[in-house]
Amino acid sequence: MSTLRFHALKETYNHKPVPVEEKHRRSEIFGANVFNEETMRQYVTSEAFESVRDAIKNGAKIDRAVADHVSTGMKEWAISKGATHYTHWFQPLTGATAEKHDAFFEPTDGGRAIEKFGGGQLVQQEPDASSFPNGGIRNTFEARGYTAWDPTSPAFVFGTTLCIPTVFVAYTGEALDYKTPLLRALQAVDSAAVAVCKYFDKNVRKVNASLGWEQEYFLIDSGLAMSRPDIMLTGRTLLGHSSAKGQQLDDHYFGTIPNRAMAYMRDLETECMLLGIPVKTRHNEVAPNQFELAPIYDEANLAVDHNSLLMDVMDKVAERHHFKVLFHEKPFAGVNGSGKHNNWSLGTNTGVNLLSPGKTPMSNLQFLTFFINTIKAVHENEELLRAAIASASNDHRLGANEAPPAIISVFIGDQLTKTLNELENVTDGKLSPQEKTDLKLNVVGKIPDVLLDNTDRNRTSPFAFTGNKFEFRAVGSKANCANPMTVLNTIVANQLIEFKAEVDALIDKKEMKKDDAIFNVLRDYIKKSKTILFEGNGYSEAWEKEAKKRGLSNNKTTPEALKAKVSKQTIAMFERLGVMNAIESESRYEIEMEEYMLRIQIESRVLGDIARNHVVPTAVRYQNILIENVKGLKEIYGTSFKTLAQEQLNLIEDISGHIKGINSKVTEMIEARKTSNNIANLEKKANAYCNKVKPLFEEIRYHCDKLELLVDDELWPLTKYRELLFTK
Ligand code: ADP
Ligand code: MG
C-alpha cells in the first residue's frame, strides 16, 4: 500500500466513535435554541408579539418601533443562550448558505461597552454582496443588494451566533436568493387554493404548502476523503475501479447502523432538536456507507430553511466525528446515488390535508379537485419541473438505472387510475340526478377505502402519489429544495386559477350547478393530461420509447433541461403570478447555466491532474519494476527468457496502451476546454462543456480504472473504492 493510502487508512483507526452526551429527553430540548412563538412571548411586549404574529399569519408590515422591541428581546434571549454575535442568514444562489457575523458588542464613552442590537439591524442589512451570483442583475457597481428579515421563519442560535433568516434582494427589487421567489410562490398557491376551497368550505382562509424532505448522504472517513483530490474538490470520485463487493448483497439497506455512524447521527439529532428541526427517522440506505435522515413535514418555507440549515449542521457535526459528508448525487460509480425526496401537500387553516381523501363525497370531490389539478399542472409543465431539478451532479443520477428517469411522469396507483377512468366518462354537460348519485357514491365516495391499499408504491416514478401527498423523487440530494418547491407551488397555483376560471365560466354561462361544472372541468382535465400518468417501470427502455411517443420530454443533460426556465410560457407564468419577473427568470437561467459549465470545468481539470500526475507516474513506476524483472530473467535465462517473461511483457504493453490512452484523451480534453472557453455565448459554452468535454471523462476514467487493476496495490496512491465504502 502506498504511504499516502497507508497513512490515511491508519488514521481511521484513531477515529473511534465520539462519546455523545445525552442528558435530556429529546422533547425537552426541542426548539431550545429557537426564538419561537413561546419564547418570543416571554421576551417581547404583548403588543410587539401580536404584531409579529400578524406579520407571520397575514403578511402585515412590522413597524420600526415594534422591530426595536423585538430586536431587544431577541438579543436578551440570544445572549442568555451564549450568543455574542448576530448574522442575517440567507440562501444566495451559490447553493450554500451565507452569513456575515457582527458582534452585539459596541463601545461607549469612557472606554466601556454595551451589547446592542436595534430594530434596524434586525430588519435590514447590507452585505457586501457583489460577489454572489446575480446573473447580471447587479452588473453596475452602484447596484447593491440587501437582506431583509423573514419573520415567518424563526431566528435561532447556532454556536455563539444569533441567526436571523432573511431574504436577499437587489435594491432594484429583484430577488438574489432562493427564498424570495419561494415565498412569492407560496403566497400564490395560498390565494389560488383558498379560492378553490371556497367551493367546498367557506371557512377556509389560508392554505399552506407542506414539505417533508428525505435527505440521503454518504458518510466517509475524513482522512480517506482528504486523500482523494477529486472528493475534496468536486465532492465525488472521478475515477476508481468498483469494489469486488458493492451493494449486490443488499446487506446495507435498513441494516444495523455502524457504531461510528450512529454516534454521529445521535450528535446530529441533538443539534437538530436544539434548532427545532423535527428529525424523526434515520436508516441505512442501499449503498455501503449511505444513510438517510428525514424530519416530520412542516410548512414549506420553514422546511426549506431547515433543510439548508441541516446541511450546514451535518458538515459541522461531521468534523467532530472525523467524517466527511458527501451530499453529491453520485459520489461513486456502480453503487446507488443520493436523492432528496420532496414530499409535498397542501393543508388548510381548518386542518384539512387537501391531498388526503376525506370521509364524505364532498370532501372527496375536493380531494379529487386538488389531485387532478396537480396532475394537470405537472403535465403542462413537465419540462419546467425537470429544469427545477437540473444540475451537473443530478445529471449523473437521473436516468442512471437506480434513480428516477429524466422523463417526468406521475404515478397514482391502480385504484386512483380506475377512479380517473370512471370520471373520464362523466356526461358532457349537466348530470342527471341519478348520474350524480352514482358518481358520488360509487366513484368519489369510495376513494378512502381504496386508498388504504395504495401501498404498492412505484419506486421508479419521479413524481408519485403516496396516499396523502405527492412525492417529488427526482430532486437531488445536494439541491436547495426551494427551487423545486417554487416551481411546484407556482405551477399548481397557476393551474388552480385556471380551474376556478373555467368552473365559474360554466356556472355563469351554461347555468350549471357547481358540482356539474366541477365534474365537467375535471373530466376534461383527465382527458388532457392522461399522457403524464405512468404506472410501469420508469427505469425501462420501453418507457423511454413510450414516453417519446406520448410527446413527453426526456432532457438528459442540464443545458438541455434548463431551457424550459426561459420559455415564453414559463416567463409569462412566473410574471403573471408575481413569483419572478422576466429579469429574474433570465438571470437564474444564466446563473445555473454558468454554474453547470464551471462544475464540469473544475471536474475536467481535477481529472486531468489526477490522471496525468497521479495515475500515469504510478503506472510508469510499476512498469519499470516489470522491465527490471524482464531484464533479470533475460540475464539469467538468456534466449529462452521469453516463455518465462511473456506475462510480464504483456503487462508492460498493456500498461503502455493505457498510458497512451490517458495521455491522448487528456490532451484532447484540454483542447476541448480551450475551444469551449473561447465561446462567448454562455449557452453554447455550457453545451460545449456538456457535449465535447464531459464525454472524455469516461474514456479517461476507463484507462485509469484498468491501470488500478494492473498496478501493484503497494504503489497505488489513490484510496480505493473498497476502502472508501467499507471503512466504518
Ligand atoms: P418513505 O417515502 O421513506 O416511505 P414516508 O412516505 O412515510 O417515507 O414519509 C416521508 C416523508 O413524508 C416524511 O418526512 C413525512 O413527514 C412526509 N409527509 C407526510 N405527510 C406529509 C404531508 N401532508 N405533506 C408533506 N410531507 C408529508
Ligand atoms: Mg420517500
Side-chain angles (χ1 to χ4, degrees):
M1 190 175 293
S2 72
T3 36
L4 200 104
R5 259 169 73 214
F6 176 74
H7 283 296
L9 271 169
K10 199 173 137 217
E11 205 185 318
T12 66
Y13 290 103
N14 300 325
H15 296 166
K16 304 244 162 48
V18 175
V20 183
E21 269 185 63
E22 289 179 271
K23 288 184 290 224
H24 304 274
R25 280 177 195 241
R26 298 278 162 106
S27 59
E28 279 168 17
I29 58 167
F30 183 71
N33 289 351
V34 182
F35 197 61
N36 51 27
E37 281 198 8
E38 198 189 305
T39 313
M40 200 182 341
R41 210 190 278 274
Q42 293 166 26
Y43 280 87
V44 307
T45 60
S46 57
E47 207 184 343
F49 174 74
E50 286 309 327
S51 173
V52 176
R53 251 171 62 123
D54 195 27
I56 295 169
K57 298 243 147 56
N58 311 312
K61 273 217 159 1
I62 293 175
D63 72 37
R64 186 52 198 270
V66 169
D68 280 334
H69 279 297
V70 177
S71 65
T72 307
M74 212 184 254
K75 177 193 70 186
E76 289 311 316
W77 167 79
I79 290 172
S80 80
K81 293 280 166 193
T84 55
H85 287 64
Y86 64 91
T87 181
H88 274 197
W89 182 83
F90 58 105
Q91 298 165 58
L93 298 167
T94 50
T97 57
E99 44 196 80
K100 175 188 158 235
H101 299 190
D102 282 297
F104 291 124
F105 157 88
E106 229 167 72
T108 55
D109 289 345
R112 301 190 62 83
I114 52 163
E115 254 74 42
K116 206 174 156 208
F117 181 54
Q121 289 153 312
L122 165 66
V123 172
Q124 191 168 317
Q125 292 271 302
E126 202 176 302
D128 174 22
S130 52
S131 42
F132 289 109
N134 58 67
I137 286 178
R138 292 178 300 112
N139 48 4
T140 53
F141 67 91
E142 68 271 25
R144 290 167 304 172
Y146 66 93
T147 52
W149 179 31
D150 166 21
T152 63
S153 182
F156 54 90
V157 169
F158 187 56
T160 50
T161 308
L162 166 67
C163 302
I164 300 145
T166 56
V167 295
F168 179 38
V169 285
Y171 268 100
T172 42
E174 281 90 11
L176 298 171
D177 66 350
Y178 283 112
K179 191 194 262 278
T180 309
L182 174 68
L183 287 171
R184 295 178 189 150
L186 293 173
Q187 173 99 51
V189 84
D190 174 14
S191 67
V194 166
V196 171
C197 283
K198 299 269 190 215
Y199 286 138
F200 308 97
D201 180 359
K202 294 266 183 278
N203 296 318
V204 173
R205 277 176 289 103
K206 171 98 186 155
V207 169
N208 270 329
S210 56
L211 164 65
W213 39 260
E214 302 165 53
Q215 180 71 54
E216 292 182 340
Y217 61 100
F218 279 84
L219 214 47
I220 305 297
D221 181 89
S222 57
L224 299 186
M226 260 185 298
S227 73
R228 295 272 316 212
D230 46 358
I231 295 183
M232 291 318 292
L233 297 178
T234 71
R236 73 168 176 121
T237 56
L238 295 168
L239 46 81
H241 197 278
S242 47
S243 163
K245 179 179 184 288
Q247 64 188 41
Q248 63 272 62
L249 295 175
D250 286 328
D251 51 356
H252 192 253
Y253 191 51
F254 279 25
T256 316
I257 300 175
N259 286 339
R260 254 182 89 193
M262 182 62 117
Y264 167 74
M265 287 179 191
R266 295 204 67 100
D267 201 1
L268 172 64
E269 283 163 359
T270 304
E271 294 290 351
C272 287
M273 284 296 119
L274 291 168
L275 291 165
I277 305 173
V279 291
K280 180 90 174 154
T281 52
R282 58 170 178 227
H283 60 78
N284 287 359
E285 263 302 327
V286 176
N289 278 349
Q290 190 190 26
F291 306 94
E292 181 187 294
L293 174 115
I296 296 166
Y297 69 94
D298 228 319
E299 186 277 320
N301 174 41
L302 189 58
V304 167
D305 280 1
H306 278 166
N307 183 247
S308 295
L309 179 58
L310 171 93
M311 291 167 81
D312 285 350
V313 177
M314 283 176 80
D315 275 339
K316 291 198 172 120
V317 175
E319 278 175 32
R320 294 207 276 271
H321 294 258
H322 303 286
F323 276 129
K324 167 117 183 108
V325 185
L326 304 185
F327 288 111
H328 194 286
E329 282 81 355
K330 191 75 184 170
F332 302 98
V335 297
N336 272 19
S338 305
K340 179 149 57 197
H341 295 179
N342 275 205
N343 296 272
W344 169 89
S345 188
L346 295 170
T348 66
N349 63 304
T350 54
V352 173
N353 175 355
L354 294 168
L355 287 171
S356 182
K359 292 202 171 59
T360 63
M362 200 57 178
S363 58
N364 281 329
L365 185 55
Q366 176 172 275
F367 157 71
L368 277 176
T369 297
F370 283 91
F371 178 67
I372 294 168
N373 271 289
T374 305
I375 293 171
K376 175 133 185 296
V378 174
H379 175 252
E380 256 148 59
N381 298 282
E382 44 104 0
E383 283 204 89
L384 180 58
L385 267 184
R386 164 68 183 99
I389 49 160
S391 69
S393 49
N394 210 17
D395 278 359
H396 293 283
R397 185 172 153 264
L398 301 180
N401 62 0
E402 93 280 352
I407 308 161
I408 300 290
S409 65
V410 182
F411 168 87
I412 59 171
D414 288 352
Q415 302 295 345
L416 281 164
T417 303
K418 245 188 245 162
T419 307
L420 293 199
N421 286 340
E422 288 175 62
L423 274 176
E424 204 186 329
N425 298 322
V426 169
T427 322
D428 192 3
K430 280 187 196 173
L431 308 177
S432 71
Q434 183 56 42
E435 273 178 313
K436 244 194 240 180
T437 314
D438 266 7
L439 258 182
K440 285 191 175 165
L441 290 181
N442 297 327
V443 181
V444 179
K446 287 206 172 140
I447 296 171
D449 319 337
V450 146
L451 275 188
L452 289 177
D453 58 48
N454 194 43
T455 45
D456 178 28
R457 298 165 176 194
N458 183 338
R459 289 274 155 191
T460 67
S461 176
F463 199 89
F465 184 72
T466 49
N468 57 1
K469 61 189 185 293
F470 277 100
E471 192 167 332
F472 192 7
R473 300 215 185 97
V475 183
S477 46
K478 219 173 105 181
N480 185 314
C481 303
N483 198 355
M485 280 296 113
T486 300
V487 169
L488 182 56
N489 287 293
T490 302
I491 63 177
V492 170
N494 183 57
Q495 181 52 51
L496 291 170
I497 291 168
E498 192 184 305
F499 172 77
K500 173 98 177 28
E502 288 186 51
V503 171
D504 286 351
L506 282 183
I507 296 171
D508 289 349
K509 284 189 207 117
K510 300 209 175 158
E511 296 177 335
M512 271 192 203
K513 282 253 174 59
K514 186 178 71 188
D515 290 5
D516 296 85
I518 291 174
F519 274 124
N520 268 273
V521 175
L522 291 182
R523 183 206 55 206
D524 184 42
Y525 283 3
I526 295 168
K527 286 205 165 93
K528 281 182 177 150
S529 42
K530 253 165 109 174
T531 53
I532 199 78
L533 298 177
F534 179 63
E535 303 287 303
N537 179 5
Y539 301 171
S540 68
E541 248 171 72
W543 169 230
E544 222 171 299
K545 285 192 190 126
E546 162 73 15
K548 195 170 178 190
K549 260 196 245 156
R550 293 190 190 185
L552 298 176
S553 70
N554 185 4
N555 295 326
K556 292 195 169 162
T557 67
T558 294
E560 246 181 294
L562 285 179
K563 280 188 208 144
K565 290 206 162 190
V566 284
S567 74
K568 271 200 181 128
Q569 181 194 342
T570 306
I571 291 185
M573 175 176 61
F574 277 128
E575 215 153 19
R576 202 167 52 241
L577 288 159
V579 175
M580 284 195 278
N581 63 27
I583 297 172
E584 289 170 317
S585 288
E586 272 153 17
S587 68
R588 260 149 228 261
Y589 169 74
E590 248 179 59
I591 289 167
E592 287 179 42
M593 206 57 124
E594 182 166 38
E595 180 181 346
Y596 174 84
M597 186 276 292
L598 291 172
R599 295 233 178 247
I600 305 290
Q601 188 179 63
I602 293 168
E603 289 193 343
S604 163
R605 287 174 177 162
V606 174
L607 179 60
D609 166 56
I610 299 180
R612 276 215 168 134
N613 306 328
H614 295 63
V615 175
V616 170
T618 307
V620 169
R621 215 172 301 147
Y622 180 54
Q623 200 182 36
N624 281 338
I625 294 176
L626 292 169
I627 289 169
E628 279 306 308
N629 175 269
V630 173
K631 276 191 197 159
L633 288 171
K634 194 172 175 185
E635 227 174 85
I636 300 170
Y637 295 97
T639 43
S640 60
F641 88 102
K642 266 214 160 160
T643 38
L644 287 165
Q646 197 49 55
E647 288 306 320
Q648 291 87 320
L649 288 167
N650 291 349
L651 267 175
I652 291 169
E653 280 175 29
D654 284 353
I655 290 172
S656 282
H658 291 304
I659 291 176
K660 183 167 174 238
I662 291 174
N663 260 341
S664 64
K665 291 298 165 188
V666 171
T667 305
E668 211 180 300
M669 181 171 74
I670 293 169
E671 284 310 313
R673 241 169 32 219
K674 278 189 195 153
T675 320
S676 310
N677 289 343
N678 284 331
I679 303 173
N681 176 294
L682 179 59
E683 197 175 304
K684 289 198 178 122
K685 193 170 173 176
N687 270 312
Y689 265 96
C690 177
N691 302 318
K692 297 277 179 344
V693 178
K694 198 181 63 170
L696 291 162
F697 291 8
E698 276 314 302
E699 301 191 46
I700 295 166
R701 174 177 193 150
Y702 169 81
H703 293 293
C704 294
D705 290 357
K706 283 284 175 207
L707 284 171
E708 184 183 326
L709 290 184
L710 296 180
V711 170
D712 183 358
D713 182 68
E714 203 161 321
L715 296 179
W716 197 255
L718 296 159
T719 305
K720 294 186 171 179
Y721 264 35
R722 63 163 186 270
E723 293 152 353
L724 291 166
L725 286 168
F726 288 94
T727 306
K728 290 181 178 152

